[in-house]
Amino acid sequence: MKSFRTEIENPVVEKDILELEQKIQKFKNGTIDDEKFRSLRLARGVYGQRQQGVQMIRIKLPYGKVTSKQLLRIADVADEYSTGRLHITTRQDIQIHYVDLERTPELWAQLEKDEVTLREACGNTVRNVTASETAGIDPNEPFDVSPYAQAVFEYFLRNPIGQEMGRKFKVSFSATAADTGLSYMHDLGFIAKMENGKRGFKVMLAGGLGSQPRHADVLYTFLPTDKIIPLMEGVIRVFDRYGERKSRAKARLKFLVKDLGVDGFKALLKEEEHALEQFVYPIDYQSYPKPKIAQIPIPVVKINDPAAFNQWKSTNLVAQKQDGFVAIGIKVLLGDFYTDKARLLANLVQKYAAAEIRLSLRQNILIPHVRVGLVPFFYQELSKLGFAEAGYNKALDITACPGTDTCNLGIASSTGIAKELERVIKAEYPQYVNNPDVVIKISGCMNACGQHNMAHIGFQGMSIRTKEKLVAPALQVLLGGGNFGNGKARFADKVVKIPSKRGPQALRLILDDYEVNGNGLLFEAYYQAKGEQYFYNFLKPLTITDNLVQDDFIDWGNSEKYKKEIGIGECAGVMVDLIATLFLESQEKIGHAQEALQEEKWAASIYYAYQSMVNSAKALLTAEHTKTNTHASILKDFDRLFVDSGRIQFTGSLSDIVLQLNKSRPSKDFAKTYVDDAKMVLEQLQSFRQSELAHV
């Protein structure tokens, strides 16, 4: 590996990348254990693949905005360090695969030349901030949410309060009441609103997908824009202290709010208010960069197939509030495209549009600010790239996660079945190319990265066992999900589980019945009118497994017999720490706290000191084989086992020392005192540990 000290202008970024480089070497030398190293690299966008010895790199792209320069940079990096394939995720990121671990610092350094980051793209952090891809151009939006999404991204990037939570934290912004940002399935969802001429957001709290989807609660019907960052900081602080950490299955915010109730959660938020760095945080939306639209003569274009052109226009043009402009949607099959096309696309929007694209939550691309007169030219140029397929955001546009292609957690193929279902729709149901009211989504496992449980028709990868104990790939069929707007939605019902190779037949049965009995209703209304049992009855014959043939034991896109293999999930795994490692982390956090003091970042310094003290307490509880499920329980149990019993002497309790955090304003004097307290706690607890070991 090479040094990047002379290549990176931002010293904070340089330090980050050098730390990754150093930790990789320590991991290779065996001086950092695997669990500790995993946590560090995940927070820097480096994710283990299903294939041994290579990594998936997740590139964090706030609200899906990518400039032409950034896309060209990403393409160069993908060619140099990966396979040249780019994958758009359902969170508006780009992933590249098959990267050598030791080359990841160098890769990151190259991306940062055009302000593209990997930081906090994975791990137990604040993930990519997503938003409606039409933000800034939507005719129905009260205002552009992009500046607010950007402000949230910047404020929480590298913020110590969101670096080591029990699980990941997801945020979205919806441009309109249509809620295309899907607020109802996020930890925090913001829907743009105007009230008495003032900008604000409806705020949704603690939604989520996964094996136990939960509809978010309404936290505020209207919150002024200058309150959203203080609110989010408070929510994260409460989640960090009271959220589950040991049991991964219960560690999301949705479980904490379910247990506490919204009022109980609000009470804890109230307790944090005094500790917030700022009670209001104005966001200067007027300084957000305005689009610079290319001024160029409109080329003369001859359309050779007017019917195909008109079909494309009917599905792929998106209305724009700016007069004389439209946006163009590009349907990207499974979110996968290659660097040769990426470069040509970047140059096209640089020269003829506003030098930016937006990645969508449905794994597509939107080109905003295209002059109406340039539409025929864009169709011609996009056709050359294979980017002019009709059906953008229509039924034909199926969303799917990578599944067993590259993901450790994949149980069955999602990409293979998605390709087959698209083929079936094109060949047998061409009318659905124009249908925006049937949404089909597929996930390779229960974790719902393909968002299957919010679809009208969803499929979840599973396995199925025959009476002869043979294992075949399977699909859970889910029906009836829907987004009703303004934070209201319905999750799909699990109807039947069928062998994967019968997925196309299930789709045919559902669509055939909808054609005959839908009576002009939207799909979700049709499903509600008929009821779950109705669909179970006509799909039940597909569940029979005593008539499987050899092909049923081969998954889509594969040639070998199916074998159920599930690796260790890394996306938000909970660390299992050794005691020495915990004390080492505590020392590192005190170092971070002292650096923040020198930089006059009082709030950051205080939070690093807080983390150090909790971590030190966790170390001794781990030695006692005591559960360390939440920060709050760590403090309570530490006082019970060590302070109340007299084994360790403090003035008062450890809780009294640590929880000064939310009783004092983040001032210079308090920060200094609090860091000194953290040093004292670490020294005393390490001394106790050494004394205990000496008597073993």
Side-chain angles (χ1 to χ4, degrees):
M1 288 188 292
K2 58 192 291 188
S3 175
F4 311 105
R5 197 172 296 277
T6 59
E7 296 184 14
I8 303 169
E9 295 181 3
N10 187 326
V12 175
V13 174
E14 178 189 39
K15 180 182 175 184
D16 235 3
I17 297 174
L18 287 171
E19 181 183 16
L20 176 60
E21 182 183 35
Q22 291 158 6
K23 292 295 171 71
I24 288 172
Q25 287 304 312
K26 288 184 178 181
F27 172 66
K28 293 286 185 180
N29 296 335
T31 54
I32 297 180
D33 67 84
D34 184 63
E35 296 295 336
K36 167 64 177 171
F37 180 64
R38 179 184 298 147
S39 175
L40 183 137
R41 63 174 166 78
L42 284 172
R44 286 146 183 83
V46 183
Y47 187 102
Q49 268 186 221
R50 194 179 190 89
Q51 296 77 12
Q52 293 297 312
V54 290
Q55 313 294 316
M56 178 273 283
I57 303 298
R58 183 174 294 151
I59 300 169
K60 195 172 187 177
L61 301 165
Y63 51 101
K65 180 180 177 180
V66 187
T67 67
S68 293
K69 283 184 66 180
Q70 288 173 328
L71 186 55
L72 289 171
R73 175 67 63 185
I74 292 168
D76 287 345
V77 162
D79 280 342
E80 173 66 24
Y81 301 93
S82 180
T83 61
R85 180 172 69 91
L86 308 176
H87 176 73
I88 304 168
T89 76
T90 54
R91 293 203 61 76
Q92 299 174 300
D93 299 300
I94 284 179
Q95 293 176 174
I96 60 177
H97 296 81
Y98 300 97
V99 177
D100 185 323
L101 175 62
E102 294 200 50
R103 300 191 75 192
T104 53
E106 181 183 340
L107 177 156
W108 187 2
Q110 292 301 316
L111 287 173
E112 287 284 359
K113 290 179 179 179
D114 284 301
E115 298 181 329
V116 177
T117 191
L118 308 181
R119 181 74 197 223
E120 293 145 54
C122 305
N124 299 331
T125 61
V126 178
R127 296 293 187 83
N128 196 30
V129 178
T130 61
S132 305
E133 67 267 22
T134 55
I137 64 170
D138 196 313
N140 299 313
E141 68 183 17
F143 55 86
D144 182 5
V145 301
S146 303
Y148 304 95
Q150 179 69 27
V152 166
F153 160 71
E154 292 176 357
Y155 186 88
F156 290 99
L157 187 71
R158 297 184 176 85
N159 193 315
I161 70 167
Q163 298 302 306
E164 296 179 4
M165 296 176 288
R167 284 294 303 273
K168 55 194 171 184
F169 191 95
K170 296 181 177 181
V171 188
S172 77
F173 285 82
S174 287
T176 72
D179 196 16
T180 52
L182 310 176
S183 67
Y184 63 90
M185 50 159 276
H186 281 79
D187 295 295
L188 271 179
F190 297 99
I191 305 172
K193 299 288 182 183
M194 293 291 291
E195 191 172 283
N196 300 321
K198 189 173 183 178
R199 295 182 174 202
F201 293 94
K202 182 177 183 177
V203 184
M204 306 297 292
L205 173 74
L209 295 180
S211 60
Q212 300 180 57
R214 182 181 190 272
H215 194 293
D217 296 302
V218 177
L219 186 61
Y220 294 101
T221 56
F222 183 84
L223 186 73
T225 58
D226 61 4
K227 292 284 191 179
I228 64 171
I229 284 179
L231 168 69
M232 183 167 159
E233 181 173 347
V235 169
I236 291 174
R237 289 168 73 103
V238 171
F239 177 46
D240 191 41
R241 188 166 308 128
Y242 295 96
E244 171 68 34
R245 289 175 177 270
K246 200 72 174 176
S247 173
R248 182 179 182 274
K250 298 179 180 179
R252 290 295 299 273
L253 180 65
K254 62 185 179 182
F255 295 106
L256 178 61
V257 175
K258 181 181 178 181
D259 290 343
L260 293 173
V262 176
D263 289 341
F265 190 84
K266 278 186 172 181
L268 293 179
L269 279 178
K270 188 73 176 175
E271 291 179 7
E272 294 298 319
E273 282 186 356
H274 193 62
L276 298 180
E277 191 170 10
Q278 301 180 66
F279 300 126
V280 295
Y281 190 94
I283 295 169
D284 183 11
Y285 66 89
Q286 292 179 322
S287 66
Y288 184 78
K290 301 294 188 294
K292 295 180 181 179
I293 302 167
Q295 302 292 328
I296 195 165
I298 297 175
V300 177
V301 173
K302 181 181 179 181
I303 300 297
N304 296 322
D305 189 344
F309 175 55
N310 289 330
Q311 170 66 65
W312 174 82
K313 285 198 300 181
S314 71
T315 61
N316 291 50
L317 295 190
V318 176
Q320 190 164 321
K321 67 183 181 182
Q322 292 84 358
D323 288 339
F325 292 89
V326 294
I328 293 177
I330 298 174
K331 180 180 174 297
V332 183
L333 178 62
L334 303 177
D336 291 337
F337 67 114
Y338 286 83
T339 53
D340 55 346
K341 293 182 179 181
R343 288 189 182 86
L344 293 170
L345 179 64
N347 291 329
L348 181 65
V349 299
Q350 173 75 39
K351 189 173 181 181
Y352 293 98
E356 74 169 69
I357 61 172
R358 295 284 176 108
L359 308 179
S360 84
L361 297 171
R362 288 179 69 166
Q363 300 175 293
N364 290 321
I365 295 171
L366 187 70
I367 306 172
H369 306 295
V370 176
R371 296 182 188 277
V372 172
L374 280 170
V375 168
F377 171 75
F378 265 83
Y379 174 73
Q380 173 184 274
E381 296 304 303
L382 291 174
S383 296
K384 295 175 184 177
L385 302 180
F387 277 167
E389 182 178 350
Y392 176 81
N393 280 359
K394 303 301 186 287
L396 179 62
D397 194 355
I398 297 175
T399 301
C401 71
T404 51
D405 290 359
T406 55
C407 180
N408 272 323
L409 295 177
I411 297 174
S413 172
S414 46
T415 59
I417 181 63
K419 290 176 182 176
E420 178 62 16
L421 295 185
E422 286 209 6
R423 188 197 66 75
V424 168
I425 293 173
K426 286 180 185 177
E428 303 174 30
Y429 303 90
Q431 67 272 30
Y432 281 84
V433 174
N434 294 299
N435 186 319
D437 300 320
V438 175
V439 176
I440 302 172
K441 294 177 180 286
I442 305 171
S443 298
C445 76
M446 65 181 180
N447 287 295
C449 295
Q451 302 174 341
H452 64 275
N453 41 20
M454 52 163 284
H456 298 129
I457 303 173
F459 297 93
Q460 175 194 325
M462 306 186 81
S463 63
I464 198 165
R465 187 179 294 272
T466 69
K467 293 178 182 177
E468 295 77 24
K469 297 185 179 180
L470 299 174
V471 180
L475 293 169
Q476 179 83 59
V477 181
L478 299 93
L479 296 171
N483 178 7
F484 308 135
N486 203 30
K488 297 179 181 178
R490 184 183 189 279
F491 293 118
D493 293 324
K494 297 176 181 178
V495 180
V496 293
K497 183 167 77 167
I498 61 175
S500 287
K501 286 298 176 73
R502 295 175 184 172
Q505 186 58 22
L507 181 67
R508 290 186 183 100
L509 289 172
I510 294 164
L511 294 182
D512 287 347
D513 192 85
Y514 183 40
E515 291 286 304
V516 174
N517 299 311
N519 298 319
L521 296 173
L522 296 179
F523 190 90
E524 58 258 27
Y526 149 73
Y527 177 80
Q528 287 297 303
K530 295 294 185 181
E532 182 180 345
Q533 188 65 39
Y534 174 83
F535 294 90
Y536 173 79
N537 289 340
F538 75 71
L539 292 173
K540 185 179 179 180
L542 299 182
T543 67
I544 298 170
T545 60
D546 57 9
N547 58 354
L548 297 184
V549 299
Q550 185 175 354
D551 188 55
D552 290 317
F553 294 93
I554 300 173
D555 208 353
W556 292 102
N558 291 271
S559 57
E560 297 180 359
K561 187 176 179 181
Y562 173 77
K563 184 178 180 182
K564 183 178 178 182
E565 295 179 324
I566 306 174
I568 298 172
E570 292 196 331
C571 201
V574 178
M575 293 193 305
V576 182
D577 295 291
L578 299 173
I579 299 165
T581 301
L582 284 165
F583 278 129
L584 176 62
E585 288 179 351
S586 296
Q587 189 64 60
E588 288 179 346
K589 292 180 191 306
I590 287 176
H592 294 325
Q594 290 172 321
E595 289 176 8
L597 272 178
Q598 293 173 357
E599 295 167 1
E600 299 185 353
K601 296 178 179 178
W602 316 130
S605 178
I606 291 164
Y607 214 81
Y608 281 128
Y610 162 78
Q611 291 173 331
S612 175
M613 286 189 276
V614 173
N615 225 46
S616 299
K618 180 180 177 181
L620 289 193
L621 289 175
T622 300
E624 298 279 320
H625 306 290
T626 301
K627 290 182 179 180
T628 55
N629 293 49
T630 70
H631 280 187
S633 69
I634 287 171
L635 297 177
K636 180 180 178 181
D637 287 339
F638 183 90
D639 283 334
R640 176 176 58 85
L641 289 173
F642 293 99
V643 179
D644 296 346
S645 64
R647 296 170 71 188
I648 293 179
Q649 300 293 323
F650 285 129
T651 302
S653 67
L654 180 63
S655 295
D656 292 337
I657 298 170
V658 173
L659 293 181
Q660 295 176 87
L661 173 81
N662 60 5
K663 297 178 177 63
S664 304
R665 295 288 301 138
S667 64
K668 177 181 179 179
D669 289 341
F670 175 64
K672 286 183 175 180
T673 301
Y674 198 65
V675 172
D676 287 341
D677 287 340
K679 291 178 187 176
M680 178 272 295
V681 168
L682 176 59
E683 289 171 3
Q684 197 157 340
L685 270 57
Q686 279 184 314
S687 177
F688 177 86
R689 174 64 177 167
Q690 289 165 2
S691 176
E692 290 281 292
L693 291 174
H695 290 87
V696 173

